Amino acid sequence: MLVLCKRKAKWRALLCLSAAVMLCSPVQQAAAAAFAPAAQSGSSSAGKADVAAARMELYEQMSAATGIPWFRFAAIDQYERTIAKKKSSTEAPVKSRLTGIQIPAPVWAGPLNPDQADMSPDSIRFFGGMGHDGSGDGLADPDNDADLLYSMARHLLKYGNSASDFSIGIWEYYHNGRAAQRVGQFAKLYEHFGRLDLAGSAFPLPIGNSYSYRSTWGTGRSWGGARIHEGTDLFAPHGMPVRSTCFGIVETKGWNRYGGWRIGIRDIENRYHYYAHLSGYDKSIGRGDIVTPGQTVGWVGSSGYGSPGTQGKFPPHLHYGIYRDRGITEWAFDPYPLLKQWENQEYRARKNKKNK
């Protein structure tokens, strides 16, 4: 018992020291100054880089203090930010923070705690709340990033520190299978690439003049009942390579009676990229594999509208759709503006390369 108490005291001391380093870090202070304008305008690349660097430092400091890999903290934080609702202009501004994690008051303070704004670690513990003091200031503040991450770490460590233990801990926190899947996917992406910036993009077909497309969002469908077209059709020769538009992880692969041979890729922004009517896949790619922008995932075809293997009921083309997950619902949005943006970016990059 004495040895255990000494280990806990040593761990606590390390945590408080790490928190002090975090709060006094020049990178943290620079990011705090850049965070507000960058978040408001969304156009300051330097500000975003500072914020990303500060987040990474925060994850790594908490990882050193708790033994949980940084990419697991990053995955939880990223999932929380992708499902967060945007505040309207009439709502009060939220205190600037580096992380987007929001732990509900009944979970933080305890469901039976009469003071749902309680920040006393002792009374929170008495009422079975999740909140802990991770910054060493004596308070368990749900608006303090160090307190939030440390509290999440204490929750996760109840189940162990392996990958499977992490999945169980995430499930026990969200009680939502889809949330657990998303956090696991994000953690895998961050671990694989070793960085937070996974924002690259590519047009889904090789740039050239052998394809055509226009905005076909919302048009009626002639097969499969009353439904609308949730995507853009890109008409191209049979067998033209189909490329990943993003850094992502293969979530689905196989036959769909509407989409034929199709593949679905989830990116770090919680967007699902859907490629349908393929003639085949790159055989080296399977579910759970990681892909990069421009990587070939399949080839243009005319599969679908029938039983597995049905082909040729329409001209060869790629149906490209994109969906956003908001935690409870997942909804499609028009991919045409993004397709034009990605196409123009590749044309400009090619032109700039030729001019060098």
Side-chain angles (χ1 to χ4, degrees):
M1 179 64 72
L2 181 60
V3 173
L4 181 60
C5 291
K6 286 183 177 179
R7 285 179 179 175
K8 286 185 176 180
K10 184 177 180 181
W11 186 33
R12 182 67 177 172
L14 175 61
L15 179 66
C16 292
L17 178 61
S18 297
V21 171
M22 273 192 293
L23 295 174
C24 297
S25 165
V27 176
Q28 182 84 355
Q29 292 169 358
F35 183 77
Q40 291 170 4
S41 67
S43 61
S44 172
S45 58
K48 288 181 179 179
D50 286 343
V51 171
R55 281 191 184 124
M56 189 65 164
E57 183 174 351
L58 180 66
Y59 303 148
E60 289 178 336
Q61 292 286 352
M62 196 58 64
S63 176
T66 65
I68 294 176
W70 70 266
F71 50 82
R72 293 180 183 167
F73 290 121
I76 298 168
D77 185 19
Q78 178 64 10
Y79 176 71
E80 290 274 337
R81 280 186 276 120
T82 64
I83 65 171
K85 293 181 179 179
K86 292 184 178 179
K87 295 274 185 184
S88 70
S89 58
T90 59
E91 293 182 87
V94 179
K95 179 182 177 182
S96 293
R97 285 178 33 212
L98 284 170
T99 72
I101 299 173
Q102 299 284 345
I103 298 179
V107 178
W108 182 267
L112 300 180
N113 193 331
D115 180 8
Q116 288 292 285
D118 193 359
M119 290 194 290
S120 167
D122 291 336
S123 59
I124 288 174
R125 183 170 58 253
F126 177 81
F127 285 106
M130 183 177 170
H132 289 275
D133 172 23
S135 61
D137 63 357
L139 298 175
D141 183 356
D143 285 325
N144 181 295
D145 288 315
D147 292 358
L148 281 162
L149 289 184
Y150 178 60
S151 299
M152 186 62 71
R154 289 287 296 265
H155 166 78
L156 295 173
L157 289 172
K158 290 190 297 184
Y159 305 94
N161 204 20
S162 70
S164 59
D165 294 331
F166 176 64
S167 297
I168 294 170
I170 292 299
W171 162 256
E172 290 294 338
Y173 177 72
Y174 288 105
H175 293 285
N176 181 322
R178 189 159 65 181
Q181 181 188 25
R182 300 291 180 267
V183 172
Q185 289 169 328
F186 295 169
K188 186 174 182 178
L189 286 169
Y190 284 135
E191 180 182 16
H192 178 84
F193 290 105
R195 66 179 193 269
L196 295 179
D197 182 12
L198 299 176
S201 59
F203 192 69
L205 298 176
I207 293 296
N209 56 11
S210 57
Y211 59 82
S212 64
Y213 69 104
R214 60 184 179 85
S215 179
T216 53
W217 173 264
T219 58
R221 300 288 80 195
S222 59
W223 194 85
R227 58 195 183 97
I228 66 167
H229 192 243
E230 294 184 344
T232 296
D233 288 336
L234 298 95
F235 291 89
H238 191 281
M240 174 176 278
V242 171
R243 311 187 301 171
S244 172
T245 57
C246 61
F247 291 98
I249 189 165
V250 177
E251 186 171 304
T252 57
K253 179 184 177 185
W255 182 265
N256 177 283
R257 65 191 299 246
Y258 301 118
W261 300 116
R262 55 79 164 97
I263 191 166
I265 297 169
R266 178 77 52 180
D267 72 14
I268 202 68
E269 297 298 330
N270 211 349
R271 299 179 302 189
Y272 177 77
H273 303 250
Y274 176 72
Y275 312 76
H277 307 313
L278 304 178
S279 61
Y281 309 105
D282 184 315
K283 293 183 180 179
S284 66
I285 295 176
R287 289 183 62 185
D289 287 347
I290 289 171
V291 294
T292 57
Q295 180 179 341
T296 297
V297 297
W299 293 272
V300 171
S302 59
S303 61
Y305 286 13
S307 57
T310 303
Q311 304 274 346
K313 291 191 174 183
F314 40 75
H317 70 279
L318 168 67
H319 170 94
Y320 175 76
I322 189 165
Y323 299 75
R324 179 175 289 281
D325 184 0
R326 285 300 189 189
I328 298 176
T329 60
E330 189 168 49
W331 44 271
F333 62 93
D334 187 359
Y336 182 78
L338 283 176
L339 289 169
K340 294 301 293 184
Q341 176 184 322
W342 296 335
E343 185 182 32
N344 291 335
Q345 284 175 349
E346 287 203 50
Y347 272 123
R348 286 195 298 269
R350 178 185 293 183
K351 183 178 179 180
N352 291 338
K353 188 176 181 179
K354 287 182 178 180
N355 292 337
K356 287 183 179 180

